[in-house]
Each structure stands twice: as C-alpha cells, then as structure tokens.
C-alpha cells in the first residue's frame, strides 16, 4: 500500500511539473485563453478579477467566477459567476446594493420569472445583470459598458465578434421575389444576412443547413438583445460535440452546438439516439425550416399532431409525405395565423413539398418575425426600436 501511494505521489508531481508554471496552469484551466490573458489565477485555481473591473459594481460575496466572457477593460467587459445561493437572495442583494450606492435601476428584475435581467446606470457606467437558475446552483452574468457621453446605447451584446450585426447593402436585391423583398431588406438592414460574393445576396440560390442555423441564432439573439434570458446560448469550444460531423474547430460549432444543447434541433441530447450527423453543408429543406423555427416562435416544445389534423387545417395534398416532427411543426404554425411561417414564406399552397430545398430569400423571410398568436416582434419593429428604420 505504501509503495502504491508513493507511486501515485510521484506521478502527480511529474504531471504538475509538466505544466510551465502558472502560465501552464492558466492555459489548461481557463475557459478561453484569449480572454483570460489578463487574469490572475491563485494557487487554488480561483480566477481573480483584474484591477480594471469597475469598483462601483457590487460583487456577490458567495459567488465565484466561472469565466471572463468578454475581456475586462476600463470601458467594457463581461463576467460569468456561479453560487449555490438561491436566485431570490441574489436579486435582493443587488437591488439593495445598487440602491445604497446611488445606482439608477432602469429595468428591474422580473417578479414572475426566476430567469431575468436587471439593467442599472450610474453616471456613464451601465450594467446588465442576468440570472440563470440551474438545478443546484445559480449562474449569473454581469456585463458593463462605459460611455463618454450622457447617452448610452440601450443594447448589450454577449455575442462574439463574428456575430456583430452591421447593415448590408446587397447589390442584387432587385432579384428578390417581390413578395419577399421587404422581408429580405429588413433583415439586411439589421445585419442578419451575409453576402455570397461581390456583395451579392443571391436570393434565389438554395441555402445550406449551416448558414440557416447561423442566421437563425443571429436573428433570434438580435431581436431579443435586451432580454438575454430569451437568447440562444452559443456552445462552448470545450463541450462534447453533439454531432460527429461538426467538431469543435468548425467555424459554426458554437451555433450548431448551441442549438443542439437548447434542444432546438434533434440530436442524441434530445433522446434521438440515431442522430449523430448534422450534415451542415447539405441544403435546407422546407421541413427543416419549419421544425427549427416554430419552437422559437412558440417558446416551447411542439404540440402533438396527426396526418388528419394537417389535412383538416392546411389541406396539403402531400400530407402523407411529411414526417412526424414536421407534422407537429406545421400544426403549430397553422395556429399562428397570418404570422405563420408557411403563409409568409410560401404563400397560398396546396402542396408543402417537405423535401424541397429553401432559397436564401425564403429563409430570410422566415426570420422576419418571432412570436406566437400576436405576442411577438418583427424585423420592422426591431429596426424602429434601434432607430434604423
């Protein structure tokens, strides 16, 4: 027994020696080396806030830092924390602390939801605190922005630089079918869509599953940029890939992994033990479009549906060719009335053609509105809210 313990001890010493001092440990244990390059890590591997984190922002004493999700500077930054304290206790702490420190609370926590956000401002410093209750812990993020003017931007963004939205003026929008042109133009003004080449949108070309997934996440998070609890969280690079054909070094891994982890696309995470491939470069079908988009409109799982139910509602002549999940998506989409995706994207039709590919213009039209039965918002609403209309 003594010999075994001695061997284990020697092995551990060798492993630690292999790390090149603190830098080696920092690289191995930090969530993102680029963002944690200015962090101090103590001997027990606790991440310490750099001195540039604003002292005016209260820090919850029973919380520990999980990750620096945006580099800490004097002007902006974002930190993710966790604690085993109850959500209500954290809410009360920050409401009391901010009030006593003379912060103006612009948006208080929601009283009817554990997962909510608070926005507050003091002088030119603005923060957003977002709570995310988990099974046995509470996670929360603190994002802050410093401005040199009295007018601060109302929006916060926790997306990587590749997700920054910039308006795009495509040179071929005149080729978009007239019925879809307004939808595409609004999405382009929001910076959701991407050009193919030479600043052309190529509206009538088919779209891949990969690109639609990217637009879907970008649109959803842009529409709800002031409500992080409604946003789709991007997958972390160190997560176990949900699909064998989308490894962590894939450029769209954070998007596709995030959709899988949120249960918005079928994978082994949703209990589908037969789905191991995402097929990112295959073309998007009409069935895919509906199955991925409608749950985001409803804010919950798809309802049960039957072939007879679709025949009675949509009246499609090819109902028997539609898969079980597609039937559920179509049934829910019918209940959305004039804001349904089928009506907006495909117009009046007696054939759904579930395996027909979707054009880039059609995919954009589907993303023009998020919501259900009158409770939602359009791209036009978002443009008006951001002052870009």
């Amino acid at each position: 027994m003594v010999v075994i313990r001695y061997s284990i001890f020697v092995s551990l010493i060798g492993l630690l020696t292999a790390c090149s001092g603190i830098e080696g440990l920092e690289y191995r244990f930090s969530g993102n080396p680029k963002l944690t390059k200015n962090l101090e890590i103590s001997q027990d591997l606790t991440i310490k806030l750099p001195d540039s984190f604003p002292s005016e922002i209260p820090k919850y004493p029973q919380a520990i830092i999980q990750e620096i999700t945006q580099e800490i500077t004097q002007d902006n930054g974002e930190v993710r924390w966790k604690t085993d304290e109850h959500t209500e206790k954290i809410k009360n702490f920050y409401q009391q602390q901010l009030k006593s420190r003379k912060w103006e609370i612009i948006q208080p926590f929601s009283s009817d939801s554990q997962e909510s956000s608070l926005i507050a401002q003091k002088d030119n410093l603005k923060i957003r605190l977002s709570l995310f209750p988990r099974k046995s812990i509470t996670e929360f993020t603190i994002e802050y922005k410093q401005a040199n003017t009295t007018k601060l931007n109302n929006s916060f963004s926790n997306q990587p630089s590749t997700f920054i939205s910039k308006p795009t003026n495509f040179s071929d929008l005149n080729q978009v079918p007239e019925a879809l042109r307004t939808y595409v133009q609004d999405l382009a003004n929001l910076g959701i869509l991407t050009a193919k080449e030479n600043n052309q949108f190529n509206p009538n070309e088919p779209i891949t599953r990969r690109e639609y997934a990217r637009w879907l996440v970008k649109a959803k998070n842009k529409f709800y940029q002031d409500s992080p609890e409604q946003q789709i969280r991007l997958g972390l690079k160190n997560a176990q890939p949900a699909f064998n054909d989308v490894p962590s070094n894939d450029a769209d891994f954070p998007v596709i992994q995030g959709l899988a982890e949120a249960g918005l696309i079928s994978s082994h995470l949703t209990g589908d033990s037969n789905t191991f491939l995402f097929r990112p470069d295959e073309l998007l079908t009409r069935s895919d479009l509906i199955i991925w988009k409608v749950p985001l409109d409803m804010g919950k799982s798809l309802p049960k549906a039957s072939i007879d139910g679709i025949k009675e509602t949509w009246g499609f002549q090819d109902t028997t060719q539609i898969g079980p999940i597609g039937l559920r998506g179509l049934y829910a989409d019918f209940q959305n009335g004039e804001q349904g995706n089928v009506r907006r994207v495909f117009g009046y039709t007696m054939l759904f053609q579930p395996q027909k590919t979707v054009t880039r213009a059609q995919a954009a039209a589907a993303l023009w509105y998020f919501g259900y039965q009158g409770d939602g918002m359009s791209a036009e609403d978002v443009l008006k809210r951001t002052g870009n209309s």
Side-chain angles (χ1 to χ4, degrees), residues 58 90-102 105:
I90 302 170
K91 283 184 178 181
N92 292 335
F93 171 83
Y94 275 100
Q95 287 172 159
Q96 294 171 4
Q97 286 291 314
L98 291 172
K99 185 177 180 180
S100 65
R101 298 189 187 194
K102 310 300 182 184
I105 297 180

Side-chain angles (χ1 to χ4, degrees), residues 48-263:
K48 301 294 185 182
L49 277 177
D51 295 337
S52 52
F53 186 82
S55 59
E56 303 98 311
I57 301 176
K59 293 181 281 293
Y60 196 74
Q62 284 77 36
I64 61 174
I65 299 174
Q66 285 189 292
E67 184 183 6
I68 302 295
T69 47
Q70 181 180 333
E71 185 175 0
I72 300 299
T73 68
Q74 292 183 344
D75 295 325
N76 54 61
E78 183 176 5
V79 186
R80 182 159 57 93
W81 316 67
K82 72 174 181 179
T83 177
D84 56 6
E85 301 278 4
H86 192 271
T87 304
E88 288 302 318
K89 194 170 182 180
I90 302 170
K91 283 184 178 181
N92 292 335
F93 171 83
Y94 275 100
Q95 287 172 159
Q96 294 171 4
Q97 286 291 314
L98 291 172
K99 185 177 180 180
S100 65
R101 298 189 187 194
K102 310 300 182 184
W103 284 76
E104 176 189 0
I105 297 180
I106 300 172
Q107 173 187 301
F109 288 117
S110 172
S111 59
D112 58 355
S113 174
Q114 291 294 308
E115 188 170 298
S116 61
S117 298
L118 174 148
I119 297 177
Q121 182 175 334
K122 183 177 183 180
D123 299 326
N124 287 336
L125 180 62
K126 192 172 184 180
I127 65 170
R128 180 175 66 187
L129 191 150
S130 305
L131 299 172
F132 307 101
R134 302 297 184 234
K135 187 174 182 180
S136 58
I137 64 170
T138 299
E139 293 183 359
F140 62 95
T141 62
I142 295 179
E143 182 181 2
Y144 68 91
K145 284 188 177 183
Q146 186 77 249
N148 294 323
T149 63
T150 56
K151 184 177 180 180
L152 286 168
N153 192 330
N154 287 329
S155 66
F156 285 93
S157 174
N158 58 4
Q159 303 297 340
S161 58
T162 54
F163 266 64
I164 295 176
S165 301
K166 296 180 180 179
T168 307
N169 296 314
F170 297 113
S171 61
D172 60 345
L173 287 184
N174 61 325
Q175 297 180 24
V176 178
E178 185 175 354
L180 306 179
R181 196 168 299 164
T182 299
Y183 305 136
V184 174
Q185 182 66 71
D186 285 347
L187 268 292
N189 289 339
L190 284 174
I192 304 299
L193 310 178
T194 51
K196 292 290 285 184
E197 55 184 14
N198 300 324
N199 201 38
Q200 292 188 330
F201 180 58
N202 293 0
N204 301 312
E205 286 190 4
I207 188 171
T208 64
R209 290 162 60 89
R210 173 194 299 278
E211 191 163 24
Y212 182 67
R214 193 186 310 144
W215 290 3
L216 180 65
V217 173
K218 193 173 183 179
K220 171 69 171 176
N221 291 358
K222 177 68 176 180
F223 276 46
Y224 293 94
Q225 63 183 7
D226 294 329
S227 302
E229 67 276 8
Q230 295 289 331
Q231 295 177 354
I232 299 171
R233 301 289 161 180
L234 301 182
L236 300 177
K237 286 289 187 181
N238 60 354
Q240 180 66 35
F243 302 102
N244 294 341
D245 56 352
V246 186
S248 59
N249 60 355
D250 187 291
D252 292 307
F253 174 81
V255 168
I256 297 169
Q257 183 75 15
L259 287 169
E261 292 182 351

Side-chain angles (χ1 to χ4, degrees), residues 297-362:
D297 290 325
M298 297 181 64
K300 57 183 179 181
S301 300
L302 296 173
K304 294 181 179 179
S306 65
I307 291 177
D308 289 340
I310 297 303
K311 286 181 177 179
E312 293 173 3
T313 52
W314 287 110
F316 293 140
Q317 298 173 19
D318 56 352
T319 302
T320 56
Q321 300 176 25
I322 304 170
I325 302 180
L327 293 173
R328 295 166 60 190
L330 285 170
Y331 182 76
D333 196 57
F334 184 85
Q335 310 304 320
N336 209 5
E338 294 304 314
Q339 295 298 353
N341 296 279
V342 171
R343 292 184 174 94
R344 182 168 62 256
V345 178
F346 307 120
Y348 176 80
T349 178
M350 296 295 291
L351 292 172
F352 180 58
Q353 303 179 80
Q355 296 308 310
K356 185 175 182 178
T357 58
V358 176
T359 68
R360 291 165 59 82
Q362 290 171 338

Side-chain angles (χ1 to χ4, degrees), residues 246-290:
V246 186
S248 59
N249 60 355
D250 187 291
D252 292 307
F253 174 81
V255 168
I256 297 169
Q257 183 75 15
L259 287 169
E261 292 182 351
L264 294 167
I265 54 178
S266 182
S267 73
H268 70 88
L269 299 176
T270 59
D272 188 347
S273 58
N274 296 319
T275 302
F276 295 99
L277 299 177
F278 179 70
R279 309 186 312 280
D281 298 314
E282 290 190 10
L283 299 180
L284 185 79
T285 67
R286 289 185 170 190
S287 186
D288 292 333
L289 183 146
I290 293 298

